[in-house]
Amino acid sequence: MRNRLWIALAVVVLLLVAAYFAAGWYFSGIAIAPPTRPLAEAQAQTGVPADFGLPQPEEIAIDTGEVILRGWYFDNPSDGNCGMMFMHGFTGTRYEALYWAPLFWERGCDILAYDHRGHGESSEAFLTYGVNEKEDALAARNWFAEHAGLDTSRIAVGGVSYGAATALQLAPQIPDAPFVLADSSYSSMPAIVRVRADALLGSALGGLLTPGALWIAGQRANFDPAAAAPEATIAGAQIPVLLIHSRTDNFTPYTHSEDIYANSDAARTVLHINDWGSLHAADIATDFAAYKTLFEAFLAQYAPDFGLSTD
């Protein structure tokens, strides 16, 4: 009788472990292999470059040695001797960069926007929340400098959401960059995965499944999810950083940007938590004029010689 009980208990334990693993595998897939937005859908939602005062871009492909990044290069006829590389958000595309492009185009800057690995027309790959993407970004920045004939010290880097987190993880590797603009970043992969798990499953089940999903994600994509942590890497940044977040962000809590700021060098980092009623990453669309005012004030203090004057 006792042996049967032990056998039954062992079966129950194995079933629970199998169920936990299956659930972890499923949710790891949501994190590192989600469906991403087709470019046609992005265009229908966002518009085309001409809608933002931009010319037809050059279609480009950047070989990083591991993946091919496909995107756009905009050659500015006004020579501001500056460039801006802007990276899109989770499951998004290069089209998202169009919202920010006017800030830099009017300064005479060339612009590079590409689809992250695993997004858009770039190579299929697991998402690693900045661990591999920052290396892609470094290769793209070097390509940009050569293609545009710019010194890397004249190329700023920006991003929104997932792209913002990538830019912040890249920051310590580009000490000559004019600045980094990071809008609506998450503080770390474990933190944002827990936020999304709680939103989908409730805090109890989310807290139970998150560690397993993160471990499985790391094994599947061959990376350490804990290393995807802008709140940690910001400490190594030696350049000015502008952090922007909506207080009413419905996807990534604004406290993530506060956590990043807390670990930054406050002498060259600016944080704006805006009360404009925007949803996730939407401040630029909610009030472009107010956003531009924040950006211009940041440049006036930390990068006054970046591009042409807009006065």
Side-chain angles (χ1 to χ4, degrees):
M1 183 68 177
R2 182 174 296 178
N3 285 341
R4 289 181 179 177
L5 287 174
W6 279 112
I7 291 172
L9 180 60
V11 170
V12 169
V13 170
L14 286 173
L15 288 174
L16 288 173
V17 170
Y20 185 82
F21 183 84
W25 185 276
Y26 174 76
F27 285 105
S28 74
I30 293 176
I32 63 171
T36 56
R37 187 171 303 149
L39 289 189
E41 180 183 321
Q43 178 178 310
Q45 179 178 348
T46 305
V48 297
D51 296 330
F52 296 84
L54 300 174
Q56 189 67 18
E58 176 187 348
E59 298 277 348
I60 57 96
I62 301 170
D63 186 350
T64 72
E66 184 177 345
V67 295
I68 302 296
L69 305 174
R70 298 192 181 277
W72 291 330
Y73 169 69
F74 295 91
D75 186 5
N76 201 317
S78 300
D79 185 10
N81 188 31
C82 58
M84 182 63 181
M85 184 174 80
F86 197 89
M87 295 176 283
H88 65 77
F90 183 68
T91 72
T93 72
R94 69 190 83 158
Y95 276 87
E96 292 175 14
L98 294 177
Y99 290 107
W100 283 264
L103 295 173
F104 310 102
W105 191 251
E106 66 178 12
R107 287 184 165 269
C109 299
D110 300 329
I111 297 173
L112 173 65
Y114 62 84
D115 301 326
H116 288 295
R117 61 169 61 203
H119 291 77
E121 294 182 327
S122 292
S123 298
E124 292 186 5
F126 286 123
L127 281 56
T128 64
Y129 288 72
V131 172
N132 290 327
E133 288 81 359
K134 71 178 183 296
E135 303 304 326
D136 295 342
L138 185 61
R141 179 174 176 262
N142 291 336
W143 178 95
F144 189 9
E146 181 176 356
H147 193 73
L150 290 169
D151 191 277
T152 54
S153 66
R154 304 300 301 170
I155 298 175
V157 177
V160 59
S161 189
Y162 191 93
T166 297
L168 291 170
Q169 291 173 75
L170 173 66
Q173 300 184 50
I174 52 172
D176 63 336
F179 62 87
V180 162
L181 165 60
D183 189 321
S184 309
S185 178
Y186 48 79
S187 58
S188 70
M189 181 182 179
I192 191 58
V193 168
R194 176 62 191 274
V195 166
R196 301 317 307 159
D198 287 357
L200 289 170
L201 305 170
S203 59
L205 192 54
L208 178 65
L209 286 177
T210 295
L214 285 169
W215 182 83
I216 293 170
Q219 297 304 303
R220 292 177 67 183
N222 191 31
F223 79 111
D224 178 8
E231 66 179 348
T233 56
I234 189 68
Q238 303 172 43
I239 55 178
V241 175
L242 174 58
L243 301 169
I244 295 178
H245 217 123
S246 171
R247 191 176 296 276
T248 49
D249 192 318
N250 62 326
F251 192 89
T252 303
Y254 71 89
T255 53
H256 283 229
S257 282
E258 290 185 331
D259 291 341
I260 293 168
Y261 180 75
N263 288 327
S264 72
D265 179 354
R268 52 186 166 214
T269 306
V270 174
L271 170 65
H272 289 290
I273 305 296
N274 297 324
D275 291 302
W276 302 346
S278 307
L279 298 181
H280 180 59
D283 272 349
I284 189 79
T286 298
D287 195 334
F288 181 84
Y291 197 105
K292 180 180 177 180
T293 296
L294 297 181
F295 176 68
E296 295 287 348
F298 171 79
L299 286 192
Q301 182 173 359
Y302 294 99
D305 63 342
F306 183 74
L308 303 175
S309 172
T310 58
D311 294 337

